[in-house]
Amino acid sequence: MKVIIHRGTKEIGGSCVELIADNSRILIDLGMPLVDSKKQPFDSKSIAGKSIDELKTEKTLPDVKGLYKDEEPQIDAILISHSHLDHYGLLDFANDKIPVYISRGAKELVDATNIFLNKNVQLSNTHIIKHLSPFHIKDFKITPYLVDHSAFDAFAFFIEADNKKVFYSGDFRGHGRKGVLLKKMIKNPPVNIDCLLMEGSMLGRNEMVYKDETEVEARIVEILKEQNNITFLFSSSQNIDRLVSAYRACLQTDTTFVIDIYTAFILQKLGEVSKKIPQFDWKNIRVKFFNYHAEKLAGVGHKELLYIYNRRKIDMDELNEKKNKVLMLARDNSIFPQIIRNINSPEEAKIIYSMWEGYLTDKFKNFCRDKKIEIEQVHTSGHAVLNDLQRFAKALSPKCLVPIHTFEAARYSDFFENVKQMNDAEPFTI
Ligand SMILES: [Zn+2]
């Protein structure tokens, strides 16, 4: 079997791996880059209006023959590990005759991203993957492994062909709400792995203050107990583990958790996948309407949902009345200053900043300082810490371990055995 990592050998984001067996070719992930060639944040808007050829020349699109809309398909399938844009964001350029294998939860999140976040990745030709349910694509046998990650319903792939075995870790961790999945995999790993492609996002990042999702929840509880003005939770609406932590903290402190229409929609869609996911009409949950979200939902023919969510609507007056006992989901966007304007005396409001600290801008910090709003970071990473990466690599004991989804590939051999560092687009045979 031949492996080509088109992107990801030395960077986080834009993952794309090609596997070639005797008679077949498959692709794993087709992600939007997070950084450009100068390691500066990648501007996804720069893609607009460019042709496939132009995007290939500037290396935004990996050079994969028979993948794109402007040619006859020669790729037998695309596997998507999870619903983060740096793993699927370029999928819209792929020829839609190529089947896409994706989890139900990831598909729902891609659809929700299209509706609310102005993306356009249409998934038409899809097959739903399930934990430990193997499937075949020509010469390949693929077994998906559900993993713990900040994206809901994320998967790793165990791939067999030509008597060789490859394991693609995708993005994973052991300290989220599904940490038991890593424990199980370490206890009962797939064996005789010839090649492990393993992410290392956390290598080179600071150690985490909050070691796991339970510690995050505990700190949110403490904050809500102490608070005597409105508290905001800055989190991605797609980080379901975090929303669950926040909701559990609200139940323990009899706080109202205020979500928006976008979040209510996501929870409802994923509620069809897992019954444990909090819903807009559960105890202590209310929905704040913003025109922007309402228009988006109505625009795709889901006006009926607005009537349904309306049953749990909270308006500004009620929000002000209850504000000492409110945790409101928000983000650094144009809506947030509007909310602050409408809160009576917002001083000493608090933001629980529950995202990667790299997203926190000076502009936003200054805004909060001016308004006397305190920001406290309460977060745990979506990615495995070094110790978990080491336990995972040891359990799988691959004949070769190839770094992917990391800025620290050169340091892998300090921490792991049998490391083989590759370059983007460089083929290697297993
Ligand atoms: Zn991810």
Side-chain angles (χ1 to χ4, degrees):
M1 194 186 335
K2 220 197 261 177
V3 180
I4 307 170
I5 300 178
H6 288 283
R7 183 164 42 218
T9 59
K10 291 178 186 66
E11 71 188 75
I12 294 176
S15 295
C16 181
V17 178
E18 182 180 350
L19 299 179
I20 305 164
D22 210 15
N23 244 321
S24 33
R25 292 164 68 207
I26 60 172
L27 212 65
I28 312 177
D29 288 340
L30 186 50
M32 185 82 79
L34 291 174
V35 293
D36 62 21
S37 56
K38 295 182 190 96
K39 294 261 187 309
Q40 294 305 304
F42 182 79
D43 177 13
S44 58
K45 292 191 195 85
S46 69
I47 288 179
K50 286 182 187 159
S51 71
I52 286 173
D53 269 345
E54 281 172 291
L55 291 167
K56 267 195 213 164
T57 309
E58 66 175 41
K59 292 197 160 58
T60 298
L61 288 179
D63 189 10
V64 183
K65 201 169 161 40
L67 171 62
Y68 297 106
K69 282 185 176 6
D70 61 351
E71 56 194 323
E72 263 310 297
Q74 293 173 38
I75 295 286
D76 297 303
I78 302 172
L79 320 180
I80 297 296
S81 63
H82 65 281
S83 59
H84 282 155
L85 281 161
D86 65 322
H87 290 259
Y88 80 86
L90 296 176
L91 200 50
D92 209 40
F93 292 96
N95 193 310
D96 46 25
K97 286 187 195 140
I98 303 171
V100 174
Y101 289 74
I102 188 168
S103 70
R104 170 93 190 272
K107 185 175 185 301
E108 296 292 358
L109 287 165
V110 170
D111 290 341
T113 303
N114 287 339
I115 297 172
F116 291 97
L117 304 179
N118 299 324
K119 301 288 174 199
N120 187 27
V121 178
Q122 299 307 327
L123 294 172
S124 44
N125 187 0
T126 52
H127 298 257
I128 297 300
I129 58 170
K130 290 202 175 111
H131 183 46
L132 301 181
S133 291
F135 57 93
H136 289 86
I137 297 164
K138 286 197 181 168
D139 295 344
F140 289 101
K141 180 185 177 191
I142 296 141
T143 310
Y145 278 72
L146 184 66
V147 293
D148 182 32
H149 182 42
S150 47
F152 182 76
D153 224 10
F155 279 84
F157 296 112
F158 176 42
I159 298 154
E160 300 163 86
D162 298 350
N163 287 320
K164 298 289 177 186
K165 295 178 166 66
V166 170
F167 198 92
Y168 174 79
S169 76
D171 291 0
F172 75 105
R173 63 178 172 182
H175 57 268
R177 296 203 163 268
K178 290 193 175 86
V180 66
L181 292 168
L182 181 63
K183 283 201 188 94
K184 279 187 184 165
M185 176 122 55
I186 287 172
K187 212 171 155 197
N188 189 16
V191 293
N192 299 323
I193 302 292
D194 294 287
C195 177
L196 167 62
L197 308 174
M198 188 181 76
E199 76 123 316
S201 313
M202 284 299 282
L203 300 182
R205 283 194 190 167
N206 295 339
E207 215 172 287
M208 299 186 304
V209 178
Y210 296 93
K211 290 196 170 42
D212 57 29
E213 213 49 61
T214 317
E215 288 191 6
V216 166
E217 178 185 323
R219 181 58 194 149
I220 299 175
V221 167
E222 281 175 10
I223 292 172
L224 294 176
K225 276 185 184 161
E226 288 162 10
Q227 194 56 7
N228 43 30
N229 201 337
I230 190 166
T231 308
F232 295 98
L233 177 78
F234 272 45
S235 163
S236 160
S237 293
Q238 303 200 6
N239 186 344
I240 303 303
D241 276 16
R242 190 59 42 80
L243 298 187
V244 169
S245 299
Y247 177 58
R248 289 166 56 101
C250 285
L251 288 179
Q252 289 163 63
T253 53
D254 201 22
T255 301
T256 300
F257 189 28
V258 176
I259 60 174
D260 52 29
I261 290 172
Y262 162 51
T263 312
F265 180 78
I266 284 178
L267 295 177
Q268 192 181 357
K269 287 291 175 187
L270 297 184
E272 293 163 18
V273 183
S274 162
K275 296 280 165 248
K276 288 183 188 164
I277 292 181
Q279 298 297 304
F280 75 98
D281 54 356
W282 285 18
K283 190 173 176 258
N284 286 33
I285 299 189
R286 301 291 297 277
V287 184
K288 178 79 182 81
F289 276 46
F290 298 102
N291 287 343
Y292 175 81
H293 293 141
E295 280 162 17
K296 291 283 182 196
L297 206 49
V300 291
H302 278 315
K303 216 170 183 178
E304 85 287 356
L305 290 177
L306 296 176
Y307 296 114
I308 295 173
Y309 300 154
N310 193 54
R311 298 204 303 260
R312 303 287 290 180
K313 184 175 171 176
I314 187 166
D315 61 20
M316 220 53 223
D317 288 342
E318 193 184 348
L319 204 56
N320 269 309
E321 227 170 83
K322 293 189 168 152
K323 64 177 181 169
N324 299 359
K325 279 289 188 187
V326 161
L327 178 66
M328 183 172 186
L329 188 64
R331 277 170 292 277
D332 176 11
N333 54 21
S334 58
I335 294 173
F336 188 66
Q338 282 177 39
I339 300 170
I340 293 301
R341 262 198 302 279
N342 289 312
I343 297 282
N344 301 333
S345 36
E347 305 79 28
E348 286 169 42
K350 183 158 181 165
I351 291 170
I352 299 173
Y353 199 83
S354 214
M355 305 167 89
W356 179 51
E357 61 191 345
Y359 296 133
L360 189 53
T361 62
D362 285 341
K363 189 178 163 209
F364 186 71
K365 282 188 211 166
N366 292 336
F367 170 83
C368 292
R369 197 174 306 126
D370 288 349
K371 303 280 178 203
K372 298 193 171 58
I373 299 168
E374 189 195 340
I375 305 175
E376 179 177 329
Q377 168 124 37
V378 186
H379 182 54
T380 195
S381 174
H383 300 276
V385 292
L386 176 59
N387 187 258
D388 283 342
L389 290 172
Q390 285 176 313
R391 292 189 312 127
F392 174 75
K394 203 170 162 203
L396 268 69
S397 68
K399 292 197 184 78
C400 85
L401 191 165
V402 179
I404 188 168
H405 204 274
T406 183
F407 288 115
E408 304 290 340
R411 289 176 61 204
Y412 266 54
S413 47
D414 297 345
F415 306 120
F416 312 106
E417 305 278 330
N418 304 329
V419 173
K420 183 182 171 84
Q421 208 187 317
M422 298 305 302
N423 296 309
D424 284 359
E426 181 186 0
F428 62 102
T429 304
I430 299 166

